[in-house]
Amino acid sequence: MSTKIGIYICECGPNIADNINIDEVIERISSSEDYKNKQLIIKPYKLLCSNEGKEYLEKEIKDNELTHLVIAACSPRDHEITFINICKKTKLNPYLYKMVNIREQCAWMIPDKKKATEKAISYIKAAINRVLHQSVLIEKQLDSNPNVLVIGGGITGMETALSLASKQRRVYLVEKNSILGGNAQSFKNLLPRQENNTDLVAKKITAIQENENIEVFTDSKLENAVGFFGNFEVTVKSTKKDQTANEFVVGAIVLATGFALMPTEKLKKHAYGKDDNVYTALEIEQMMKAKGKIVLKSGKEPKSVGLIHCVGREDRGYCSRICCNYMLKIISYLKDQSDTILIKDFYKDLCLPHKYDQEYFDTMAKKKVDFIRISDITTKKTHITYTEVNGSKKEADLDMIILAPAMVPAEGTEELAELLNVPLHPTKFFQEAHSQLNPIGTSLEGIYIAGGCHGPQGISESVLQAKAVQGKIVTQLIPGEKIIPEVKVSEIIPDFCMGCQTCREVCCYGAITFDPERGICVVNEAICRGCGNCVGSCPSGAIRAKHFTTIQIHQEMKEAIS
Amino acid sequence: MDQVLTIKKSTEAGLIDLLTYLLKNKKVSGVCSLRKTKKQGKFDYALITDPELLHDVVPLHPLMPVNAGKMLSNMIKMEMPVAAVIKPCELRSFIELVKRSQGKLENFLLISYTCGGALPLTATVENKVDTMLPDYGKTVAAGNEFEHIREICKACEYFVPFNADATVSLLGETGADSTCKIFLHSDKAKEILQGFEVEKTEDEFDRTGYDQIRERRKKYKEELFKQIKIQDTGLDGMIDVFGRCIGCHACSRVCPICYCVLCDFESSTYDYDNTIMEQELSRKGGLRLPSDTILYQIGRLSHMSFSCIGCGQCTEVCPSDIPVSVIFRKCGEKVAEIFEYIPGRDVNEQVPVTIFKEEEFEEIGEE
Amino acid sequence: MKKIQTKGVKISSNKDYRDSIVDILKKMLQSKSVDAVLVPMRVPAKDSYAWILVKDEKLLTEADPAAPIMPIQGARALSSFSRKGQSMLKIAALMRPCEIRATIELSKLNQVNLENVTLISYDCPGALPMEDYLNDPEKGEKKFNDILKKLDFQNKSIKPVCKICDQFSLLPVSDLHFTLFHDQNNTMFLIANSNRGNLVLKEIGMEASHTVSAWANGIQEIKDKRAAQKKGRFTQIKKMVEGFNSLLATFSDCIGCHNCQSACPICYCRQCYFDSESVTSGTDLTMLKAKKRGSISLPQNRIMFQVGRMSHMSLSCVSCGLCTDACPVSIPVAEIFSYVAHNTQKQFSYSSGENKGEPIPLKTFKLEEVKGIQELVEDAEA
């Protein structure tokens, strides 16, 4: 079939037509020496994106049997897809089409009509040069699996599982411990209403166990996960002696592995031994849940307690957000126990972000608690040395010290990140795709994060994220629908690949694997996002970016230099 | 009948006038020729589109930094022809490439000349070109052999160009430094130079009028070929000759006929799995690494030697000083003879590898 | 930085060093410490050397452990065997220090599998230029023998890039090392420099019991001299390539034959990027460029290839000098690349071939390291 290029110039009402001499564009391009051996159909149209315009375009493509298409109109951001969809209704492959912006980039920004027209001509010619070197690319349709793997059986993981599970969508819940519940289990009361926690967590666990669409694996870890959004092949392995492995396919993976508290044994600023009356806040919660009261190692009740916020904050480099709140809760435990307990609360800043926090603080403040703002503090056993913000240095000897250590990602987070190729934030929590625009996604499509593993946060935020993940999955992974992976991916020319694996090492998506039999690297087109890192890294030029080959770009650019 | 242009200037100056005419009057889109670079004593090939820059060209210098045939084959798409001044062997190599769809004749106005031989690369490297040129000019004009040209050039009997649109007379042209004589052979050349106002006469270019020189060259060729003894001693002989080959493939790179983007012998086909190499090692007790240096030479001989036009670039670049051009010409000629084939003579003459029949050469197998 | 070994095995001095080394290699084969040995061997026509992987110890008598020339880089020879496949063959490779360093770099690029390889180095006085040797091989042999005999590690005849090499002796990555720089009694030592090396010594029934401090001091003296020469030579090289005009002038003879790339052990690409279609532009672009500038030099991109090759491989360049040997127009490629490589490696605090575990900065560099280069450029332009 001979080459026939259709070039359609949209007037866009007055937007383009007023400042670009379209007749001249048509005349100059039709008569150009560059295209004298090519069949060119070049026509103007009032408004291509209108219904009439779209019908017109479809007819033009079919009647003229166009082999290539160039649309000169507004920004591709507005309507590139509009015209791709028109192509899909015809025999013209949508990758043999190029859209050029002669509105924002020519008509709207160059006051001089002559200059604007020149630029438009140049742009259109560049597009024609490029489109002639573009290749047919065929989109594939893959079956997607609607099931979901949730890693982590704490509040976040359970909430996610319960929200997602349905007859059409099976959820696999993996928990490394023997029981579900995670960190939240340890708390006696939950803020802000000081509800008794036991019921809440227990209710969730029961709901999980009764849900026939959720399969739970306790004492288990993720062994392996290979694949891409819509099709992850996962292996879950038991950590018990039998080491049974279960293999299944899911369409999405949710990481809800939670947090731990920073270990305090080796802290230089807070030296203590296991016989001293120094506790972390979590240990106090566990003590409250088990014994119902706070006591010293001797069994007696303490008469004076020091609470120290921001432990490890300097080391870690971030605020752990929930500690000021739960320290208030611990104060309320102590004051309930005895209102004569001397309480000194040492803080650097007070973090009270929720709408109900200030009220809670005011209530606690009324209970005769010494809130001391400090710039520096060290403790040795239960002896405290501190500097207030006004500069005065003081000391105090108390019966008990309660530390609020920084929240850190749970053990095993780094290994999981490595296994799945999910990037970590410098603080070692999982890195979200975009803090504002995609806060629960990761750079890998189909892998989501929620809860304490995302960063320091409380239960309300964690549940919110669980719901957000549910929303994302429910709209993107629809049972029965197919997914179309990106088609503008990288490809490796086997003849030129020497298997040095530089590309594999710079790929952020894990889309390249090494085939030891052939001694070359191979791109998994379903995972590849077409970012082009590998293309730049290959010293031999053995990787090409489909639809963005050097030849295509050269041809487009030659207009700029001629 | 050829048209003869006579210009009352030195041959080089006259040719430059012709090229200037072509470029200034937009008869060609560019001129491809040797030229002086900014560095004294150094030269390169250039594609020139600005007529003002033609004063730097030295189209008839006996230099070959690269084989121009290879360069011309890279120029596929052209609106208007480019005038290229190249040696007879470069022109022959271009014809060989055209036969293999690696070049387009219509893209060029091919100007060649009767060639007295090319200097080795070392002449440029050692900055000796300018000092050698006067002697070279005189010797060639007298029809004698300049002692410092490439060995393979001394053995070349095809110094009169085939298929040129125009031929500049140099060899044996005693008045070359005061009169420029250019023969226009093709209609293309005659038409393009219609407006070039110089003395024009009709005459036939006498290809046979160089028999003495031809005999001298043939004799030298025989002597040169005698030094290579492969045919008598088989594989042992090959190892003697190619033993110091380091497998750099420079010969193939600079060879105009070797046009493959990826040489078969560099492809993964010859990347053996080391378990296979281990078997070979056990069999022989020792294994040369990297392997297949001789195989590569045999392969290249069988792939292209019958098209070898003896430009000598391969010998120039060989880091091991192997006389590749002599070996390839010797082997190639023997094969070409059987087909009565002369590489580069006729663009319609088919390459032997495409025309031999199944039943031919059975006697070779029997030996 | 690995501690320098202080003890070695004393090798008898009444034999020629070549025979002594071959004896040890034979022992390694006999004791099955290794299955095969990679050594240089003179070709039948006696005009060059080839790398032979030897399994049959009878062939070892032909071996020449320290060849006067380096026609093929040892790393390239080793890579041609160990690059592809799962062979478990245990190989001992007897190579020059620069060949060993190139091997380490190639292993980082997955072109050599070092799992079953024992790297044996020796004190290298330098190699003769290929061109000089080929003119008169017998003379070359004699010259090199003299150099070794007289311990003339500063001889004028060795390659220019060897004259400024200060990594010509025991390497941190050597498993074993022969001290060719023998003492006045002709005593040579075999030093084990790793667990692997120690294991081999054990397997061949040898023990490192002699101190080698005298040898170490002698080597250090030469290193210091070489380092000083390097500094001086680099100041000269800098002038040859600083600024575009100097660069063009220095490479004016380049014909784009890519011999330097073929000979270079680090250049492993099957098709050089500068030969790929990304760079070899279509004719329409050639004509366009010619029209814009009035003329363009053919073949195109010769300087781009040189600078591009520098940027692709200078982080791994081991200054072995095969590029200069291969260049048909006598451009001092090796010294130029050695100078550039010295500076690029310094920028990333990286030393090629020194540490098996250190990845090449190409894949792991941080933005802050590159910012330093910005200042370098500004300094140069000032």
Side-chain angles (χ1 to χ4, degrees):
Chain A
M1 195 167 58
S2 58
T3 307
K4 242 193 207 163
I5 313 162
I7 303 138
Y8 297 89
I9 306 174
C10 185
E11 294 177 15
C12 196
N15 286 302
I16 293 176
D18 271 6
N19 206 32
I20 294 198
N21 189 336
I22 295 184
D23 288 335
E24 188 182 341
V25 171
I26 294 175
E27 205 271 307
R28 288 264 298 275
I29 293 179
S30 310
S31 61
S32 168
E33 284 289 294
D34 296 337
Y35 311 117
K36 67 176 179 208
N37 295 323
K38 303 241 174 339
Q39 285 188 56
L40 244 61
I41 292 170
I42 176 164
K43 294 180 181 174
Y45 193 84
K46 280 230 155 350
L47 200 68
L48 276 172
C49 58
S50 63
N51 282 331
E52 295 81 18
K54 290 191 274 191
E55 276 169 25
Y56 166 77
L57 195 59
E58 189 181 337
K59 196 168 185 300
E60 282 284 304
I61 296 173
K62 286 180 177 163
D63 289 352
N64 292 305
E65 290 182 327
L66 294 180
T67 56
H68 297 80
L69 178 68
V70 173
I71 306 270
C74 55
S75 167
R77 274 174 186 267
D78 284 357
H79 284 297
E80 183 164 67
I81 296 189
T82 310
F83 303 122
I84 284 181
N85 289 335
I86 304 284
C87 289
K88 285 185 178 175
K89 290 188 187 169
T90 72
K91 285 199 204 134
L92 180 63
N93 185 286
Y95 294 92
L96 294 177
Y97 140 67
K98 174 110 181 78
M99 180 162 179
V100 190
N101 186 345
I102 59 169
R103 189 181 71 179
E104 280 87 334
Q105 292 186 11
C106 299
W108 277 0
M109 53 154 286
I110 303 178
D112 183 330
K113 189 167 179 176
K114 236 172 164 275
K115 287 187 179 165
T117 308
E118 276 308 312
K119 187 173 180 185
I121 293 172
S122 185
Y123 264 31
I124 295 171
K125 284 175 96 178
I128 298 172
N129 293 338
R130 193 196 204 283
V131 96
L132 286 171
H133 283 84
Q134 283 170 204
S135 306
V136 167
L137 295 174
I138 310 282
E139 288 177 354
K140 287 189 215 141
Q141 287 198 337
L142 299 175
D143 282 324
S144 70
N145 187 307
N147 300 337
V148 181
L149 174 71
V150 178
I151 306 178
I155 271 277
T156 313
M158 291 197 289
E159 201 61 52
T160 314
L162 288 167
S163 312
L164 282 169
S166 73
K167 271 212 163 54
Q168 293 95 2
R169 198 189 303 279
R170 194 161 181 71
V171 177
Y172 301 94
L173 183 60
V174 176
E175 167 56 51
K176 70 180 179 197
N177 294 317
S178 334
I179 49 167
L180 299 172
N183 282 315
Q185 271 195 111
S186 309
F187 312 149
K188 179 178 180 297
N189 289 346
L190 284 186
L191 292 170
R193 290 194 296 269
Q194 308 257 146
E195 291 167 344
N196 189 305
N197 179 34
T198 326
D199 282 347
L200 187 89
V201 177
K203 276 196 191 122
K204 292 285 173 198
I205 294 177
T206 311
I208 292 271
Q209 285 163 344
E210 286 176 354
N211 191 319
E212 57 189 22
N213 298 311
I214 300 178
E215 197 172 329
V216 180
F217 300 91
T218 47
D219 289 302
S220 297
K221 287 171 94 171
L222 178 70
E223 172 80 3
N224 202 13
V226 175
F228 46 91
F229 174 56
N231 198 328
F232 289 106
E233 287 170 19
V234 304
T235 309
V236 169
K237 210 166 173 186
S238 162
T239 51
K240 292 209 273 218
K241 260 200 207 146
D242 59 13
Q243 291 210 333
T244 30
N246 284 285
E247 288 174 5
F248 42 87
V249 181
V250 294
I253 300 176
V254 182
L255 306 176
T257 46
F259 71 93
L261 287 185
M262 180 180 161
T264 48
E265 296 85 52
K266 299 225 180 92
L267 287 175
K268 288 201 187 115
K269 281 192 158 184
H270 303 285
Y272 67 98
K274 56 181 170 53
D275 294 329
D276 298 314
N277 282 305
V278 180
Y279 298 88
T280 66
L282 193 62
E283 287 167 343
I284 295 291
E285 285 280 358
Q286 286 161 341
M287 193 195 291
M288 275 302 286
K289 193 150 187 213
K291 296 183 186 170
K293 51 183 183 169
I294 298 173
V295 291
L296 300 166
K297 293 255 169 13
S298 61
K300 292 204 188 119
E301 289 183 19
K303 293 220 171 59
S304 59
V305 179
L307 291 101
I308 304 179
H309 297 221
C310 306
V311 173
R313 181 172 162 193
E314 260 168 43
D315 285 346
R316 301 294 305 180
Y318 53 82
C319 161
S320 292
R321 200 162 161 195
I322 61 169
C323 338
C324 288
N325 259 312
Y326 70 55
M327 290 299 240
L328 293 174
K329 186 180 18 153
I330 292 176
I331 290 173
S332 84
Y333 290 157
L334 289 166
K335 283 293 176 181
D336 283 347
Q337 201 165 287
S338 153
D339 58 10
T340 55
I341 290 185
L342 173 71
I343 298 179
K344 284 187 190 287
D345 183 291
F346 299 95
Y347 68 95
K348 288 209 175 136
D349 299 299
L350 272 182
C351 177
L352 304 170
H354 305 109
K355 59 192 177 196
Y356 32 78
D357 290 345
Q358 184 71 47
E359 192 190 334
Y360 193 53
F361 175 78
D362 292 339
T363 315
M364 290 305 130
K366 288 200 190 106
K367 295 190 188 221
K368 286 195 247 167
V369 176
D370 214 350
F371 285 102
I372 304 167
R373 195 165 183 195
I374 50 146
S375 58
D376 192 41
I377 187 166
T378 50
T379 62
K380 201 162 181 192
K381 299 189 184 216
T382 52
H383 180 85
I384 306 176
T385 312
Y386 61 98
T387 313
E388 293 187 24
V389 283
N390 57 21
S392 44
K393 290 196 168 66
K394 293 191 180 152
E395 288 184 27
D397 247 311
L398 302 168
D399 286 348
M400 177 191 272
I401 290 183
I402 302 177
L403 303 172
M407 276 173 84
V408 297
E411 203 189 308
T413 303
E414 265 189 80
E415 287 82 0
L416 192 57
E418 172 102 36
L419 181 65
L420 292 171
N421 234 342
V422 171
L424 291 174
H425 186 263
T427 55
K428 302 293 182 191
F429 289 98
F430 287 118
Q431 172 71 61
E432 63 268 37
H434 190 283
S435 53
Q436 284 103 345
L437 303 178
N438 192 357
I440 44 90
T442 61
S443 61
L444 298 173
E445 206 180 349
I447 301 184
Y448 309 93
I449 49 178
C453 65
H454 185 297
Q457 58 200 353
I459 294 174
S460 51
E461 288 93 12
S462 298
V463 168
L464 196 67
Q465 287 178 345
K467 297 296 186 192
V469 169
Q470 175 210 8
K472 252 288 171 58
I473 292 177
V474 149
T475 48
Q476 290 187 337
L477 202 56
I478 299 170
E481 271 201 11
K482 305 233 185 217
I483 46 173
I484 300 177
E486 174 64 74
V487 94
K488 298 191 289 286
V489 295
S490 302
E491 61 174 347
I492 296 176
I493 316 293
D495 278 337
F496 298 145
C497 176
M498 288 296 272
C500 73
Q501 300 181 54
T502 304
C503 56
R504 188 184 64 80
E505 291 176 43
V506 303
C507 176
C508 342
Y509 301 103
I512 300 183
T513 49
F514 177 65
D515 178 350
E517 272 213 32
R518 287 195 293 165
I520 61 171
C521 280
V522 180
V523 174
N524 181 332
E525 296 201 346
I527 306 181
C528 175
R529 300 289 200 86
C531 75
N533 254 12
C534 55
V535 178
S537 76
C538 178
S540 174
I543 304 187
R544 315 272 166 84
K546 285 193 194 179
H547 206 67
F548 291 98
T549 64
T550 311
I551 292 179
Q552 288 164 359
I553 296 171
H554 272 182
Q555 289 297 315
E556 192 172 5
M557 275 168 56
K558 76 177 184 188
E559 266 316 303
I561 62 169
S562 63
Chain B
M1 248 318 159
D2 293 324
Q3 198 176 66
V4 189
L5 307 178
T6 310
I7 307 163
K8 292 273 184 252
K9 283 182 176 182
S10 73
T11 307
E12 190 185 59
L15 179 57
I16 295 177
D17 276 357
L18 184 148
L19 297 170
T20 311
Y21 164 80
L22 288 173
L23 207 53
K24 271 207 169 123
N25 294 287
K26 297 205 181 5
K27 301 287 181 184
V28 295
S29 58
V31 167
C32 184
S33 159
L34 279 170
R35 65 154 183 202
K36 292 183 271 202
T37 65
K38 288 202 187 91
K39 196 164 182 208
Q40 180 65 32
K42 304 295 182 191
F43 308 87
D44 65 356
Y45 266 112
L47 174 61
I48 301 166
T49 54
D50 180 356
E52 300 302 312
L53 297 174
L54 278 175
H55 65 266
D56 274 334
V57 300
V58 287
L60 302 168
H61 267 33
L63 302 170
M64 213 191 323
V66 292
N67 186 304
K70 211 173 173 66
M71 270 165 19
L72 298 189
S73 76
N74 286 328
M75 301 196 214
I76 308 290
K77 268 196 282 181
M78 302 271 221
E79 320 126 16
M80 255 203 304
V82 158
V85 186
I86 59 179
K87 294 174 191 51
C89 59
E90 293 174 313
L91 180 45
R92 286 198 298 141
S93 69
F94 184 58
I95 298 297
E96 284 301 293
L97 285 166
V98 169
K99 289 181 193 177
R100 293 162 167 90
S101 309
Q102 300 302 307
K104 288 212 168 119
L105 272 174
E106 56 266 30
N107 284 347
F108 302 98
L109 179 72
L110 294 162
I111 304 172
S112 191
Y113 52 90
T114 47
C115 178
L119 295 172
L121 290 178
T122 45
T124 320
V125 173
E126 291 163 16
N127 277 318
K128 289 194 176 140
V129 176
D130 289 332
T131 41
M132 278 193 202
L133 271 177
D135 273 340
Y136 177 86
K138 281 199 204 102
T139 316
V140 167
N144 294 325
E145 204 77 272
F146 186 64
E147 60 176 312
H148 299 298
I149 60 172
R150 300 178 183 192
E151 288 294 289
I152 199 71
C153 292
K154 292 180 188 170
C156 174
E157 71 229 66
Y158 301 113
F159 46 83
V160 175
F162 295 111
N163 299 298
D165 288 306
T167 301
V168 179
S169 183
L170 261 188
L171 189 55
E173 193 69 45
T174 41
D177 55 358
S178 57
T179 312
C180 171
K181 243 167 141 185
I182 303 178
F183 289 78
L184 306 183
H185 310 297
S186 68
D187 290 335
K188 187 201 256 178
K190 291 175 193 167
E191 202 190 301
I192 263 184
L193 287 160
Q194 233 174 15
F196 186 45
E197 280 165 12
V198 292
E199 189 188 321
K200 287 179 182 172
T201 47
E202 298 275 300
D203 200 357
E204 196 67 53
F205 181 72
D206 181 12
R207 301 188 75 87
T208 59
Y210 300 89
D211 287 345
Q212 218 185 2
I213 302 174
R214 209 167 271 123
E215 282 315 306
R216 184 180 76 215
R217 292 278 177 88
K218 274 190 186 160
K219 237 181 151 174
Y220 199 89
K221 182 181 79 177
E222 296 308 321
E223 288 306 309
L224 211 54
F225 281 6
K226 275 205 191 105
Q227 293 170 19
I228 312 295
K229 295 183 183 354
I230 297 178
Q231 79 212 67
D232 304 321
T233 52
L235 193 60
D236 287 338
M238 295 263 337
I239 293 174
D240 273 343
V241 171
F242 287 116
R244 54 186 197 270
C245 172
I246 64 171
C248 70
H249 296 199
C251 44
S252 156
R253 265 190 164 278
V254 296
C255 175
I257 316 298
C258 278
Y259 59 86
C260 292
V261 169
L262 183 67
C263 177
D264 189 28
F265 301 97
E266 290 174 0
S267 73
S268 53
T269 311
Y270 293 90
D271 244 358
Y272 305 112
D273 197 289
N274 52 22
T275 42
I276 297 173
M277 293 174 95
E278 210 181 320
Q279 285 169 8
E280 273 300 288
L281 177 64
S282 295
R283 221 165 53 82
K284 296 187 198 167
L287 193 64
R288 179 169 171 162
L289 296 176
S291 55
D292 293 337
T293 32
I294 303 273
L295 179 66
Y296 162 74
Q297 297 292 347
I298 296 175
R300 200 168 90 87
L301 280 167
S302 74
H303 281 191
M304 59 68 63
S305 65
F306 42 80
S307 286
C308 172
I309 40 75
C311 65
Q313 284 296 89
C314 43
T315 302
E316 292 298 303
V317 297
C318 178
S320 296
D321 284 350
I322 298 170
V324 186
S325 55
V326 181
I327 299 165
F328 273 65
R329 251 208 87 192
K330 180 176 180 179
C331 280
E333 252 186 33
K334 276 265 178 268
V335 175
E337 260 169 27
I338 303 171
F339 293 86
E340 291 168 12
Y341 182 79
I342 294 177
R345 170 175 59 182
D346 179 359
V347 76
N348 295 311
E349 201 175 347
Q350 282 175 286
V351 176
V353 86
T354 60
I355 58 168
F356 77 89
K357 299 186 190 44
E358 238 180 286
E359 309 84 43
E360 285 187 283
F361 311 120
E362 285 166 332
E363 63 277 12
I364 295 178
E366 277 163 29
E367 277 170 42
Chain C
M1 199 51 218
K2 243 193 178 150
K3 206 179 82 166
I4 196 108
Q5 296 305 310
T6 50
K7 285 202 183 319
V9 179
K10 189 173 172 191
I11 310 281
S12 69
S13 47
N14 51 8
K15 271 190 185 178
D16 179 71
Y17 78 91
R18 269 174 256 240
D19 296 330
S20 305
I21 294 180
V22 166
D23 279 347
I24 306 265
L25 295 177
K26 277 190 182 162
K27 280 201 173 74
M28 289 170 75
L29 282 176
Q30 287 157 2
S31 67
K32 301 220 193 301
S33 177
V34 298
D35 301 316
V37 184
L38 183 63
V39 282
M41 219 180 264
R42 211 164 174 200
V43 298
K46 299 218 185 303
D47 51 11
S48 188
Y49 286 80
W51 284 98
I52 309 290
L53 185 62
V54 177
K55 192 168 185 194
D56 182 350
E57 64 167 83
K58 287 198 281 301
L59 287 174
L60 268 180
T61 41
E62 308 283 331
D64 194 326
I69 50 172
M70 259 206 299
I72 297 179
Q73 239 271 5
R76 189 174 149 225
L78 183 57
S79 167
S80 75
F81 181 87
S82 82
R83 194 185 144 257
K84 191 173 160 200
Q86 315 296 321
S87 164
M88 303 292 281
L89 196 76
K90 289 187 285 184
I91 300 177
L94 179 67
M95 309 197 285
R96 289 182 142 87
C98 57
E99 294 174 308
I100 291 182
R101 286 169 53 226
T103 303
I104 298 299
E105 289 303 293
L106 284 179
S107 76
K108 296 178 190 177
L109 293 160
N110 294 294
Q111 302 300 302
V112 162
N113 184 347
L114 284 176
E115 216 179 305
N116 294 314
V117 175
T118 305
L119 296 167
I120 310 177
S121 55
Y122 52 88
D123 299 323
C124 171
L128 298 174
M130 278 279 279
E131 206 182 325
D132 295 347
Y133 181 88
L134 288 171
N135 275 334
D136 190 344
E138 288 311 315
K139 195 162 164 213
E141 291 291 323
K142 223 176 153 280
K143 206 181 264 181
F144 194 73
N145 281 338
D146 269 349
I147 287 175
L148 276 176
K149 221 187 217 140
K150 297 182 186 148
L151 299 182
D152 186 4
F153 276 49
Q154 300 279 83
N155 191 287
K156 285 196 300 297
S157 303
I158 58 171
K159 294 194 295 196
V161 80
C162 297
K163 289 181 183 155
I164 56 173
C165 171
D166 55 5
Q167 289 177 284
F168 57 90
S169 184
L170 175 66
L171 298 171
V173 293
S174 305
D175 292 311
L176 291 163
H177 182 85
F178 285 102
T179 64
L180 282 196
F181 190 78
H182 50 78
D183 67 7
Q184 61 274 35
N185 298 321
N186 245 4
T187 308
M188 188 171 65
F189 295 102
L190 173 58
I191 301 174
N193 198 42
S194 69
N195 291 336
R196 179 99 191 87
N198 281 318
L199 181 63
V200 172
L201 280 189
K202 215 164 154 202
E203 284 168 344
I204 59 175
M206 292 191 160
E207 200 188 319
S209 51
H210 287 82
T211 51
V212 294
S213 42
W215 161 82
N217 291 334
I219 291 289
Q220 190 58 49
E221 262 182 54
I222 304 173
K223 272 193 184 176
D224 293 338
K225 283 194 196 131
R226 291 268 182 93
Q229 276 167 325
K230 187 196 289 210
K231 206 162 168 215
R233 186 64 184 134
F234 277 177
T235 316
Q236 294 170 329
I237 301 280
K238 187 175 177 187
K239 294 197 193 103
M240 284 168 73
V241 293
E242 200 167 37
F244 194 60
N245 289 325
S246 307
L247 193 69
L248 274 181
T250 303
F251 283 101
S252 59
D253 279 327
C254 177
I255 58 172
C257 70
H258 288 217
N259 267 18
C260 44
Q261 172 232 322
S262 306
C264 177
I266 311 299
C267 280
Y268 61 87
C269 293
R270 215 186 283 290
Q271 181 189 57
C272 178
Y273 177 75
F274 302 95
D275 288 333
S276 73
E277 58 175 31
S278 303
V279 172
T280 54
S281 42
T283 329
D284 48 351
L285 287 170
T286 309
M287 280 307 287
L288 209 61
K289 281 188 227 173
K291 281 196 186 130
K292 268 236 134 176
R293 302 177 202 173
S295 71
I296 56 168
S297 179
L298 296 176
Q300 292 180 76
N301 301 323
R302 302 192 307 278
I303 293 291
M304 181 174 166
F305 164 72
Q306 294 294 344
V307 177
R309 197 169 89 84
M310 275 180 210
S311 79
H312 278 194
M313 60 69 67
S314 68
L315 284 171
S316 293
C317 176
V318 296
S319 307
C320 65
L322 261 76
C323 40
T324 297
D325 268 347
C327 179
V329 292
S330 309
I331 296 172
V333 186
E335 287 177 286
I336 294 166
F337 273 62
S338 180
Y339 162 73
V340 172
H342 175 85
N343 284 298
T344 53
Q345 290 177 23
K346 195 164 86 175
Q347 188 64 31
F348 297 96
S349 307
Y350 180 76
S351 187
S352 61
E354 189 171 284
N355 183 349
K356 276 184 207 182
E358 193 179 358
I360 302 177
L362 181 71
K363 307 179 203 180
T364 59
F365 72 90
K366 300 258 184 315
L367 195 60
E368 299 80 63
E369 291 178 287
V370 183
K371 281 188 183 146
I373 293 177
Q374 173 76 15
E375 282 144 25
L376 263 180
V377 172
E378 283 163 8
D379 282 346
E381 285 174 349

